[in-house]
Amino acid sequence: MPRTRSALPSPAGPVRLTPGARTALRPAAVTVDGGFWHDRRAANARVSLPQGPDLLESAGNLHNLRLAAGTAEGTFQGAYPFVDTDVYKWLEAASWHLAGNTDEDTDEDTGESTDAALAADVARIVALVAAAQQPDGYLNTWFQLVKGGERYQDLRWGHELYCAGHLIQAAVAHHRATGRPDLLDAARRFADHIDSVFGPPGSGRPIDGIDGHPEVETALVELYRETGERRYLDLAGYFVDRHGHGLLGGAAYCQDRVPVREATNVEGHAVRQLYLLAAAADLAAETGDTGLRTAAERLWLAMTTTKTHLTGGLGAHHDKEDFGDPYELPNERAYCETCAAIASVQWSWRMALLTGEARYSDLIERTLYNGFLAGVSLDGERWLYVNPLQVRDGHTDTGGDQSARRTRWFRCACCPPNVMRLLASLEHYLASSDEQGLQIHQFVTGTYTTDRVRVRAETDYPWHGTIAFTVEETPSDGPWTLSLRIPEWCREFRVRCGEETYDSALDHGWLRLARTWAPGDQVVLELALEPRLTAADPRVDAVRGCVAIERGPLVHCLEQVDHPGGGLDDIVLDPSRPLAVKHRPDLLGGVTTVVAAGRRRRVPDRGWWPYAPAHGVPAETDGEPVELTAIPYHVWANREDGSMRVWLPTS
Amino acid sequence: MPRTRSALPSPAGPVRLTPGARTALRPAAVTVDGGFWHDRRAANARVSLPQGPDLLESAGNLHNLRLAAGTAEGTFQGAYPFVDTDVYKWLEAASWHLAGNTDEDTDEDTGESTDAALAADVARIVALVAAAQQPDGYLNTWFQLVKGGERYQDLRWGHELYCAGHLIQAAVAHHRATGRPDLLDAARRFADHIDSVFGPPGSGRPIDGIDGHPEVETALVELYRETGERRYLDLAGYFVDRHGHGLLGGAAYCQDRVPVREATNVEGHAVRQLYLLAAAADLAAETGDTGLRTAAERLWLAMTTTKTHLTGGLGAHHDKEDFGDPYELPNERAYCETCAAIASVQWSWRMALLTGEARYSDLIERTLYNGFLAGVSLDGERWLYVNPLQVRDGHTDTGGDQSARRTRWFRCACCPPNVMRLLASLEHYLASSDEQGLQIHQFVTGTYTTDRVRVRAETDYPWHGTIAFTVEETPSDGPWTLSLRIPEWCREFRVRCGEETYDSALDHGWLRLARTWAPGDQVVLELALEPRLTAADPRVDAVRGCVAIERGPLVHCLEQVDHPGGGLDDIVLDPSRPLAVKHRPDLLGGVTTVVAAGRRRRVPDRGWWPYAPAHGVPAETDGEPVELTAIPYHVWANREDGSMRVWLPTS
């Protein structure tokens, strides 16, 4: 079943700004057809996405929709009022894949196009969603089936608008991908229904309220962008600004303790906070609201400065999936939910477009290659809900969703389809354009296209630091600027552009190459990928006296399996010895490892009490030297179970 | 209403070993009539205990009992199936107080004896409990009122046997304190009922099961001790050994992952684990079961070596109130539930009696003065459920039971009456006797009595290190041994005993003074209380590069209120400068503080990203010098809210 592709450079992506939007940049179209991300997206397309319908079937999500549609009998399955969103996120993911895929994979057994099968699954499930929807547009199988249809009685925990938001996002994706109106019509009916129910006092709407889990806000902005209906944007703005006024009892968890415009740091449930702030950025972009923009900029800076793990992971606490306090960044209990990494990318991308600043894409790069990508196994079949930076020797795994071991599916299965949708839409977070030209935020093998120019890139990044760009299409009538983001971690780079070489003169993280280009012009960027030892701000108590190994955008870690003969908690790294790079095509699908020198310390017997006077106790002695093999963090937990460490003590 | 006191030296305490018990030591009677613990017990008697009935009334606990008794109308109040235990623990606490109190306080307004009022409250509530009990002995208001009387359908979460355990413990206390049979009769009826329902396959009992929260096991041992009915002991043994066989699904949380005899470290929910191990020690003492004794010794050592906070606090995780992994001992998120500290004291005391080893009382001392005592405010009116070792600058308190701020009562009010019962029975954890003589485990102002000897002690410990003992009664016909525990933390001590002086020659923590004593003989023990800096085993990642200030048995901490002009997270302690001691009768009811030299570091601006290369970034610069005032940890959170730290970085 061949699909028509849009010939427009404006991509069918998740953030399609309106013509009047007050942003510095707009997304540019990218196709990713080789290299690192192509491989990971291929696993998503080949394994994760096609398995979705079966998993949603066996977990009961589709059954619930059939129950609501009256086409099946039985009882609601699942433990949460938001299980419908697993379906919506899968629909969104599949839609982005169908919109953006350039390969025509075929099933090994049947020889049929796997995309055709996927498209059929999408169509079938879209029809199921539409059938489950109530005549007035409302749809939530939990409330329809379990709560006797009692709507909006428990906004704090009910997730009804949250579910609506994911339905809307799926519908926008489906419409952009296929051009078909069916799911978008369903989403509009639900949005219209919400708009008739929710509004400020005096608006004539019966409920002045918000949802305990932000999500509908960003979705409504995108629905406005897709339909041109201004009232969806206004409704999003109303919801954003009603947070923090105690409508849900004032809990930080629900983003109800303080209004966004007054907040001084991110707080509460990490995913809730990040989705809300993505909407604030969207609103600022669409309306020019400088108050929201200022708040979003302030909160992003506070978050990165005080509440972000080295991997880009967000959310320190298991308890309440909460951000935690400033500089409270534990390793062993880092929560770093996969969904929070995804939400962070979504928010930061909106900030990057809003402001044009490179640092937002710096965080995106770090998050994509580390805190996000660790969430899915190399084979695309198993998942991590939480992404700790340490698993101890002697760890007792309690299983469940928050296990440090990869799981086939979760009781609360929010993360897997969220990973699928980000991987399937990844090309939309990579580049932007403005009147000056093209900005390349992330380096991939593929083609970057705006309405005026096309640039081809070839690279083996992040394993190697060379990215070769070739200008393929360019207007001949004047100059434009090719802007390359030089990553925050990069201490040395060189750009060859014809006869010229650049190695400095950055414009806030951007290298600007302004010239009149000709087709075939080449630009070669070389980023030095020397491995490095990284230390944290001294206020990050959890990693005092430790360093982490990084190389390029990759955080590395030690895994037990590479270090036989003892645990990892007694390993000490020697920071005076050089780090070596070893490319290992044999390992974990092909990775570059960093080799460091260390030793296993011998702790003197302290008897039964592990605390002793700081002065005068026998010091630990040097143990045997150990060669440390640091693999990229994003491939951990793909072999046998065991301990893992990102941060390593140096003495 | 005067009460008769037992003239027997064998005290009416929580652990009354049977004559045949296989223990090294037996509890000795102590009266505490002055000094540190007398003051804290006075607040318990004057404020906490008398307020209990009103708090139990307003929280609905007594209302539930009246509903079950059919003497009131309405609906069940409270959120948990174990709310009855708040009543039972209060009854136990009040009973111990009435059994052991030597003062006759009077109400300031009425001039009446407050103990008389307390005794009347006890009698009233005992009658209420008896009236709520069902004819066959079963009693649990949640199941009677909310669950339609469906018993034992949810052993994992139902807490029915847990509640029975606390009822039994209260009944034993009440019987020992008052000699009255009413509550004990109720407890026996319940125990007999349980014995008719629970038992191994083939026993003829309908259910082979255990409770998700151990507690009934220890209670049944004590009921055996009180009644002589061997089948209560057997039932306790059955329950202990059925843990770890998957009867509750195998969760570590419920102590069901591994049998006690096979476990290699403590795990799961801390209080559940500790109550279970207290029962294992009880059973080993009563039956001579060496397998259980070996397991208890092994697990105690594993716990102290790898899972105990400096304060004696236990349980690293907020999530599931779990022990966490070995050496996972975070400060900022230390859970250290007050109930876990209490359970630790209970278990360790049984181990001390079982083995005669001093280290168990070393841990008791540390726990009592730190992790336990911090759980109640100086005025006896407010409580901490969790006892972190750090509250950060900029901490956002989420309120609720796990708040870092003291609370008047909790939704899950397990801790306050648990504190009350330990304080009210504290004198039973202080000394022991054997055929050789008297062992003094903890130092108080008061009188230590065995069936043969009486020793008076005067001390201002822990503020000063001198404890003066006077032999008041002694047999004249031969020698006996006065054993003094020299605390694990003590590096220098001296004992004057007549003309002789001892400053070494410890027998595994005991100083043994064997001689023929005469009334009036004096022994003066001087423990050097020089303040000290303490460091942790290097595997405790959370406190690498940090020290804690300790003095004697007291862990100290910094509070924000004593350090104006900045937060605590930028404080660096200078370990090369001497520590000074300052007695502060004006402060917090009179405490001794430790003064240290420090500075406030200035962290150079790192931009938006708090991680940077370990080599070559601008180092932090020395900031202004700061005099650090370290108060005892147990009095923290008695003034205005603010940050707090136990562990302080040294560079």
Side-chain angles (χ1 to χ4, degrees):
Chain A
M1 186 166 74
R3 283 165 293 104
T4 36
R5 302 218 106 83
S6 166
L8 287 171
S10 172
V15 184
R16 181 185 279 172
L17 295 153
T18 63
R22 322 293 173 84
T23 64
L25 309 175
R26 335 200 118 246
V30 185
T31 56
V32 181
D33 51 32
F36 183 91
W37 287 109
H38 183 263
D39 291 350
R40 299 306 293 255
R41 281 156 55 87
N44 192 46
R46 206 174 50 240
V47 179
S48 309
L49 281 170
Q51 291 184 352
D54 282 351
L55 290 160
L56 294 168
E57 195 63 77
S58 54
N61 308 64
L62 300 179
H63 163 80
N64 294 337
L65 288 165
R66 282 193 291 270
L67 286 184
T71 58
E73 293 193 350
T75 56
F76 182 89
Q77 288 179 33
Y80 302 102
F82 50 81
V83 292
D84 296 347
T85 59
D86 302 341
V87 178
Y88 303 151
K89 279 190 277 192
W90 180 85
L91 278 177
E92 185 186 342
S95 297
W96 293 136
H97 170 73
L98 294 172
N101 189 33
T102 56
D103 299 336
E104 281 293 338
D105 287 333
T106 51
D107 186 283
E108 285 176 18
D109 296 327
T110 65
E112 286 181 18
S113 159
T114 50
D115 278 2
L118 195 69
D121 279 336
V122 167
R124 173 171 65 88
I125 295 173
V126 164
L128 186 52
V129 169
Q133 189 172 31
Q134 299 201 313
D136 65 355
Y138 181 89
L139 175 51
N140 181 299
T141 62
W142 168 269
F143 282 89
Q144 290 169 229
L145 300 169
V146 179
K147 289 293 178 180
E150 279 221 351
R151 302 171 181 178
Y152 311 128
Q153 301 297 302
D154 183 12
L155 289 172
R156 185 165 173 174
W157 300 110
H159 286 79
E160 289 157 287
L161 304 185
Y162 169 82
C163 291
H166 276 300
L167 173 58
I168 293 167
Q169 289 191 336
V172 168
H174 184 253
H175 189 246
R176 287 181 187 161
T178 65
R180 290 188 187 146
D182 39 0
L183 196 59
L184 188 66
D185 286 347
R188 292 189 67 158
R189 281 198 301 276
F190 202 166
D192 292 344
H193 161 73
I194 293 167
D195 191 37
S196 74
V197 172
F198 288 86
S203 66
R205 315 296 207 277
I207 301 178
D208 178 26
I210 53 173
D211 193 277
H213 198 316
E215 159 62 30
V216 74
E217 297 82 358
T218 298
L220 285 167
V221 174
E222 213 60 36
L223 186 62
Y224 154 69
R225 290 169 174 158
E226 190 65 9
T227 63
E229 284 272 14
R230 171 84 195 188
R231 62 205 168 83
Y232 299 140
L233 184 69
D234 295 339
L235 188 58
Y238 156 72
F239 283 136
V240 166
D241 272 326
R242 289 302 278 155
H243 278 271
H245 295 280
L247 293 180
L248 300 177
Y253 178 84
C254 301
Q255 306 300 319
D256 195 33
R257 196 184 68 87
V258 60
V260 170
R261 293 171 197 272
E262 296 167 23
T264 56
N265 206 332
V266 293
E267 68 174 30
H269 185 273
V271 178
R272 283 167 163 81
Q273 172 74 94
L274 294 161
Y275 282 164
L276 182 63
L277 290 169
D282 268 336
L283 283 158
E286 292 297 336
T287 67
D289 186 324
T290 54
L292 277 183
R293 173 174 170 155
T294 304
E297 290 178 313
R298 178 177 67 241
L299 292 167
W300 192 91
L301 185 61
M303 176 184 83
T304 54
T305 312
T306 68
K307 298 194 179 183
T308 307
H309 285 81
L310 185 65
T311 55
L314 295 165
H317 294 178
H318 277 237
D319 190 44
K320 300 199 179 100
E321 303 181 319
D322 187 281
F323 264 109
D325 288 329
Y327 300 106
E328 183 190 350
L329 293 162
N331 297 305
E332 45 201 345
R333 292 293 281 176
Y335 195 69
C336 298
E337 183 182 338
T338 304
C339 283
I342 294 163
S344 169
V345 169
Q346 293 176 339
W347 178 30
S348 288
W349 180 240
R350 285 162 174 80
M351 296 302 291
L353 296 175
L354 182 63
T355 65
E357 291 177 24
R359 59 181 175 170
Y360 298 107
S361 291
D362 281 330
L363 183 64
I364 289 173
E365 178 178 62
R366 181 171 287 276
T367 306
L368 286 176
Y369 280 106
N370 301 289
F372 161 68
L373 194 55
V376 56
S377 65
L378 276 168
D379 61 12
E381 284 211 334
R382 288 175 307 138
W383 312 90
L384 287 176
Y385 191 118
V386 301
N387 297 278
L389 280 72
Q390 177 181 8
V391 177
R392 282 192 169 275
D393 298 335
H395 170 67
T396 300
D397 204 278
T398 51
D401 287 1
Q402 279 76 33
S403 171
R405 294 168 184 165
R406 294 189 183 278
T407 305
R408 191 77 173 81
W409 203 245
F410 301 113
R411 194 154 171 267
C412 173
C414 52
C415 298
N418 220 354
V419 172
M420 294 179 207
R421 69 176 181 143
L422 182 53
L423 281 174
S425 63
L426 188 75
E427 67 267 35
H428 304 292
Y429 296 89
L430 307 180
S432 62
S433 68
D434 63 5
E435 293 188 359
Q436 278 67 53
L438 170 66
Q439 300 85 38
I440 293 183
H441 296 248
Q442 309 296 341
F443 306 119
V444 295
T445 289
T447 304
Y448 299 80
T449 311
T450 74
D451 53 358
R452 295 165 63 216
V453 310
R454 193 171 79 225
V455 174
R456 174 76 194 163
E458 301 277 347
T459 183
D460 195 22
Y461 189 80
W463 309 124
H464 296 91
T466 302
I467 307 110
F469 301 95
T470 306
V471 175
E472 294 188 334
E473 285 184 12
T474 176
S476 55
D477 58 348
W480 57 271
T481 302
L482 176 65
S483 296
L484 305 177
R485 183 181 61 85
I486 304 302
E488 156 276 334
W489 54 261
C490 183
R491 293 290 170 271
E492 205 181 323
F493 68 92
R494 195 170 59 153
V495 173
R496 279 175 289 122
C497 180
E499 300 297 301
E500 294 167 69
T501 298
Y502 304 83
D503 59 7
S504 60
L506 293 187
D507 170 19
H508 295 90
W510 290 110
L511 182 81
R512 310 282 193 192
L513 304 173
R515 57 169 59 196
T516 301
W517 301 86
D521 278 355
Q522 286 225 333
V523 174
V524 178
L525 171 62
E526 287 178 64
L527 303 171
L529 290 186
E530 291 311 304
R532 60 192 189 277
L533 297 179
T534 298
D537 185 296
R539 289 165 291 200
V540 182
D541 287 288
V543 300
R544 180 170 290 107
C546 290
V547 295
I549 297 171
E550 296 190 286
R551 179 172 178 268
L554 300 182
V555 176
H556 283 246
C557 68
L558 306 190
E559 270 198 316
Q560 175 66 64
V561 63
D562 297 312
H563 302 85
L568 294 183
D569 289 351
D570 278 324
I571 294 279
V572 175
L573 179 140
D574 182 348
S576 71
R577 300 274 298 282
L579 302 172
V581 167
K582 199 179 271 187
H583 295 290
R584 293 280 300 274
D586 58 306
L587 188 66
L588 289 160
V591 296
T592 300
T593 62
V594 178
V595 178
R599 61 183 171 85
R600 265 210 182 88
R601 78 184 142 216
R602 293 201 190 97
V603 183
D605 185 9
R606 292 168 178 240
W608 62 272
W609 191 237
Y611 307 96
H615 306 293
V617 283
E620 61 191 79
T621 53
D622 277 11
E624 54 184 310
V626 182
E627 183 181 275
L628 307 181
T629 296
I631 61 168
Y633 174 77
H634 70 252
V635 293
W636 86 277
N638 275 287
R639 293 175 290 173
E640 62 195 73
D641 293 331
S643 45
M644 181 275 288
R645 287 188 79 114
V646 167
W647 291 96
L648 303 167
T650 56
S651 67
Chain B
M1 189 166 70
R3 284 167 293 103
T4 36
R5 300 217 108 82
S6 166
L8 287 171
S10 173
V15 184
R16 181 185 278 174
L17 295 153
T18 62
R22 322 294 173 83
T23 65
L25 309 175
R26 338 202 114 246
V30 185
T31 57
V32 182
D33 51 33
F36 183 90
W37 285 108
H38 183 263
D39 290 351
R40 298 306 292 255
R41 282 156 55 87
N44 192 46
R46 206 174 51 240
V47 178
S48 309
L49 282 170
Q51 291 183 351
D54 282 352
L55 290 161
L56 294 168
E57 195 64 76
S58 53
N61 308 65
L62 300 179
H63 164 79
N64 294 337
L65 288 166
R66 282 193 291 269
L67 287 184
T71 58
E73 294 192 350
T75 55
F76 182 89
Q77 288 179 33
Y80 301 102
F82 51 82
V83 293
D84 295 348
T85 59
D86 302 342
V87 178
Y88 303 150
K89 279 190 276 192
W90 180 85
L91 277 177
E92 185 187 342
S95 297
W96 294 136
H97 170 73
L98 293 172
N101 189 33
T102 55
D103 298 336
E104 281 293 337
D105 286 336
T106 51
D107 187 284
E108 285 176 19
D109 296 327
T110 65
E112 287 181 18
S113 159
T114 49
D115 278 0
L118 195 68
D121 278 337
V122 168
R124 173 172 65 87
I125 294 172
V126 164
L128 186 51
V129 169
Q133 190 172 30
Q134 299 201 314
D136 65 354
Y138 181 89
L139 174 51
N140 181 299
T141 62
W142 167 268
F143 281 89
Q144 290 169 228
L145 301 169
V146 178
K147 289 292 177 181
E150 280 221 351
R151 302 171 181 179
Y152 310 128
Q153 300 297 303
D154 183 11
L155 290 171
R156 185 165 176 175
W157 300 108
H159 287 79
E160 288 157 287
L161 304 186
Y162 169 82
C163 291
H166 276 300
L167 172 58
I168 292 167
Q169 289 190 335
V172 168
H174 184 252
H175 189 247
R176 288 182 187 161
T178 65
R180 288 187 187 147
D182 38 0
L183 197 59
L184 188 66
D185 287 347
R188 291 188 69 157
R189 281 198 301 277
F190 203 167
D192 292 343
H193 162 73
I194 293 167
D195 191 37
S196 74
V197 171
F198 287 87
S203 66
R205 315 296 208 277
I207 301 178
D208 178 27
I210 53 173
D211 194 278
H213 197 317
E215 159 63 29
V216 74
E217 297 83 358
T218 298
L220 285 168
V221 174
E222 213 60 36
L223 186 62
Y224 155 68
R225 289 167 175 159
E226 190 65 9
T227 63
E229 285 271 13
R230 171 84 195 191
R231 62 204 168 83
Y232 299 141
L233 183 68
D234 296 339
L235 188 58
Y238 157 73
F239 283 136
V240 165
D241 272 325
R242 289 301 278 155
H243 278 271
H245 295 281
L247 293 180
L248 301 176
Y253 178 84
C254 299
Q255 306 302 318
D256 195 33
R257 196 183 69 87
V258 60
V260 170
R261 292 172 198 270
E262 297 168 22
T264 56
N265 206 332
V266 293
E267 68 174 30
H269 185 273
V271 178
R272 284 167 163 80
Q273 172 74 92
L274 295 162
Y275 281 165
L276 181 63
L277 290 169
D282 267 337
L283 283 158
E286 291 297 337
T287 66
D289 186 324
T290 53
L292 277 183
R293 173 173 170 158
T294 305
E297 290 180 313
R298 177 177 69 241
L299 292 167
W300 192 91
L301 184 61
M303 176 183 83
T304 55
T305 312
T306 68
K307 298 194 180 183
T308 308
H309 285 82
L310 185 66
T311 55
L314 295 165
H317 295 177
H318 278 237
D319 189 43
K320 302 200 178 97
E321 303 181 320
D322 187 280
F323 263 108
D325 288 330
Y327 300 106
E328 184 189 350
L329 293 162
N331 297 304
E332 45 201 347
R333 292 292 280 177
Y335 195 69
C336 297
E337 183 181 338
T338 304
C339 284
I342 293 163
S344 169
V345 169
Q346 293 176 341
W347 178 30
S348 289
W349 179 239
R350 285 161 174 81
M351 296 302 291
L353 296 175
L354 181 63
T355 65
E357 291 177 24
R359 58 182 176 169
Y360 298 107
S361 291
D362 282 330
L363 183 65
I364 290 174
E365 177 178 62
R366 181 170 286 275
T367 306
L368 286 175
Y369 279 106
N370 301 288
F372 161 69
L373 194 55
V376 56
S377 65
L378 275 167
D379 60 12
E381 286 211 332
R382 288 175 308 138
W383 312 89
L384 286 177
Y385 191 117
V386 300
N387 296 278
L389 279 72
Q390 177 181 8
V391 177
R392 282 193 169 275
D393 299 335
H395 170 68
T396 300
D397 204 278
T398 52
D401 287 0
Q402 279 75 33
S403 171
R405 293 168 184 165
R406 294 188 183 279
T407 306
R408 191 76 172 81
W409 202 244
F410 300 114
R411 194 152 171 270
C412 173
C414 51
C415 298
N418 220 354
V419 172
M420 293 179 207
R421 70 176 180 142
L422 182 54
L423 280 174
S425 62
L426 188 74
E427 66 269 34
H428 304 292
Y429 296 89
L430 307 180
S432 62
S433 69
D434 62 5
E435 293 188 1
Q436 276 70 52
L438 170 66
Q439 300 85 37
I440 293 184
H441 296 248
Q442 308 296 340
F443 307 118
V444 296
T445 290
T447 304
Y448 299 80
T449 310
T450 75
D451 52 359
R452 296 163 63 215
V453 309
R454 193 171 76 223
V455 174
R456 174 77 194 161
E458 301 277 347
T459 184
D460 196 22
Y461 190 81
W463 309 125
H464 296 90
T466 302
I467 307 111
F469 300 96
T470 307
V471 175
E472 292 189 336
E473 286 183 12
T474 176
S476 54
D477 59 350
W480 57 272
T481 303
L482 177 64
S483 297
L484 305 178
R485 184 182 60 86
I486 304 302
E488 156 277 333
W489 53 261
C490 182
R491 293 290 170 270
E492 205 181 321
F493 68 93
R494 195 170 58 155
V495 173
R496 281 176 287 121
C497 179
E499 299 298 301
E500 293 166 68
T501 300
Y502 305 82
D503 59 7
S504 59
L506 293 186
D507 170 18
H508 294 90
W510 291 110
L511 184 81
R512 311 281 193 193
L513 303 173
R515 57 169 60 199
T516 300
W517 301 87
D521 277 356
Q522 286 223 332
V523 176
V524 178
L525 170 62
E526 287 178 66
L527 303 171
L529 291 186
E530 291 311 305
R532 62 193 188 275
L533 297 179
T534 298
D537 184 297
R539 288 165 291 199
V540 183
D541 287 287
V543 299
R544 180 170 290 106
C546 290
V547 295
I549 297 171
E550 298 190 285
R551 179 173 178 267
L554 301 181
V555 176
H556 284 246
C557 68
L558 305 189
E559 272 199 314
Q560 174 66 64
V561 63
D562 296 313
H563 302 85
L568 294 184
D569 289 349
D570 278 324
I571 293 279
V572 175
L573 180 139
D574 182 348
S576 70
R577 300 275 297 281
L579 303 171
V581 168
K582 200 178 269 187
H583 295 289
R584 292 280 300 274
D586 58 306
L587 188 66
L588 290 159
V591 295
T592 300
T593 63
V594 177
V595 178
R599 60 185 173 84
R600 266 211 180 85
R601 77 183 143 217
R602 292 200 192 98
V603 183
D605 185 6
R606 292 169 179 241
W608 61 272
W609 190 238
Y611 307 96
H615 307 293
V617 285
E620 60 191 82
T621 52
D622 277 12
E624 54 184 309
V626 182
E627 183 181 276
L628 307 180
T629 296
I631 61 167
Y633 174 76
H634 70 252
V635 294
W636 87 278
N638 276 286
R639 295 175 290 173
E640 61 196 74
D641 293 331
S643 45
M644 181 274 288
R645 286 188 79 113
V646 168
W647 291 96
L648 303 168
T650 56
S651 66

